[in-house]
């Protein structure tokens, strides 16, 4: 047993190159050919050889899709509001249909789906919903859909159905506004002015008062400006610009 006590340490290289012809065990000792090992040490060596080696996967950092959604909405809202406000006498928005459907609609819907990936439920709901709004507004103003021409014989019904459409978005925007009371001032003012925009447009359509609709257009311009500001605050960093702006969080803004 003197040889067994001197070879208690398991040597991996010796174990791999030795041809084992005889195996025997004596209590806590196991003899493999001319060498004797402790049972526990031998099992540890065998387990270490059988364990697969796992390399930790490198997690990729996802980009923030919120600025993309803000860019899509702010640009579309600005140009439509300029038309609603009759700036420079422009009242026809046919040229903007492609902007509404692709940049305002498809891109904003895409930003909303990216927010789903990042786990931002609020941004997903807002961007996806307004992406649908811009697509539907583009379809309404597309002659091939006959959305407006179908009411040529009854303009009063056209005004009422358009008012219903805008009233629904007024309610939705108000609900989203209530979820910004602990966010940033830019986002809060954006949805505040936007809700006033929808409200005034709804009243203007129902009453046939173009001045009220024009006022809604001016509030839409203010909403788009707040969107531009929030967009810039979200993308600017000390690494890419010398002009850094603060998002100005509201009271009770969550810090964790």
């Amino acid at each position: 047993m003197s040889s067994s006590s001197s070879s208690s340490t398991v040597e991996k290289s010796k174990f791999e190159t030795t041809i084992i012809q005889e195996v025997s065990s004596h209590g806590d000792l196991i003899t493999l050919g001319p060498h004797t090992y402790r049972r526990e040490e031998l099992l540890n060596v065998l387990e270490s050889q059988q364990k697969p080696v796992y390399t930790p996967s490198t997690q990729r950092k996802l980009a923030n899709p919120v600025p993309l959604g803000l860019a899509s909405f702010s640009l579309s809202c600005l140009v439509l509001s300029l038309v609603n406000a009759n700036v420079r006498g422009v009242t026809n928005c046919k040229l903007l249909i492609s902007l509404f459907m692709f940049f305002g609609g498809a891109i904003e819907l895409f930003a909303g789906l990216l927010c789903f990936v990042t786990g931002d439920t609020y941004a997903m709901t807002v961007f996806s919903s307004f992406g649908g709004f811009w697509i539907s507004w583009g379809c309404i103003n597309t002659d091939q859909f006959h959305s407006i021409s179908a009411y040529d014989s009854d303009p009063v019904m056209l005004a009422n159905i358009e008012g219903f459409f805008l009233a629904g978005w007024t309610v939705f925007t108000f609900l989203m506004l209530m979820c910004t009371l602990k966010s940033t001032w830019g986002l809060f003012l954006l949805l505040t002015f936007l809700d006033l925009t929808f409200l005034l447009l709804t009243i203007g359509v129902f009453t046939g008062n173009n001045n009220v609709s024009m006022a809604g257009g001016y509030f839409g311009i203010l909403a788009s400006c707040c969107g531009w500001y929030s967009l810039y605050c979200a993308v600017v960093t000390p690494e890419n610009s010398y002009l850094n702006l603060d998002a100005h969080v509201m009271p009770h803004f969550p810090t964790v």
Side-chain angles (χ1 to χ4, degrees), residues 162-175:
E162 185 178 354
F164 295 158
F165 177 81
L166 294 172
W169 284 104
T170 303
V171 175
F172 173 78
T173 306
F174 177 77
L175 295 177

Side-chain angles (χ1 to χ4, degrees), residues 19-191:
I19 300 176
I20 301 174
Q21 297 179 348
E22 182 180 356
V23 179
S24 62
S25 62
H26 304 281
D28 191 40
L29 301 177
I30 297 179
T31 301
L32 302 177
H35 303 287
T36 302
Y37 308 95
R38 293 186 181 277
R39 184 187 301 271
E40 182 179 356
E41 294 177 346
L42 182 60
L43 291 176
N44 290 337
V45 172
L46 294 176
E47 289 178 358
S48 64
Q49 291 179 347
Q50 294 177 357
K51 287 183 178 179
V53 179
Y54 294 100
T55 56
S57 59
T58 304
Q59 294 184 352
R60 295 182 179 180
K61 183 179 179 180
L62 298 176
N64 182 11
V66 172
L68 177 62
L70 289 173
S72 172
F73 179 84
S74 299
L75 178 58
S76 302
C77 181
L78 176 63
V79 293
L80 179 59
S81 296
L82 290 173
V83 176
N84 289 334
N86 294 350
V87 175
R88 299 185 65 85
V90 177
T91 58
N92 192 327
C93 64
K94 294 294 184 181
L95 184 65
L96 304 177
I97 291 177
S98 59
L99 173 67
F100 298 154
M101 298 188 68
F102 292 101
F103 190 64
I107 296 299
E108 189 160 4
L109 178 60
F110 177 67
L113 296 178
L114 291 179
C115 290
F116 171 81
V117 176
T118 60
D120 192 340
T121 303
Y122 177 80
M124 178 201 69
T125 303
V126 172
F127 290 146
S128 299
S129 298
F130 280 112
F133 165 79
W134 289 115
I135 294 175
S136 62
W137 190 253
C139 292
I140 289 174
N141 288 274
T142 301
D143 296 335
Q144 285 74 11
F145 285 95
H146 303 287
S147 300
I148 297 178
S149 60
Y151 297 91
D152 287 342
S153 60
D154 196 344
V156 175
M157 183 178 293
L158 173 62
N160 288 332
I161 198 67
E162 185 178 354
F164 295 158
F165 177 81
L166 294 172
W169 284 104
T170 303
V171 175
F172 173 78
T173 306
F174 177 77
L175 295 177
M176 295 300 100
L177 171 63
M178 292 296 100
C179 298
T180 63
L181 300 179
K182 294 183 180 181
S183 61
T184 63
W185 283 104
L187 183 58
F188 172 77
L189 292 176
L190 163 62
L191 289 173

Side-chain angles (χ1 to χ4, degrees), residues 186-199:
L187 183 58
F188 172 77
L189 292 176
L190 163 62
L191 289 173
T192 299
F193 291 138
L194 182 62
D195 198 36
L196 291 174
T197 299
F198 279 123
L199 179 61

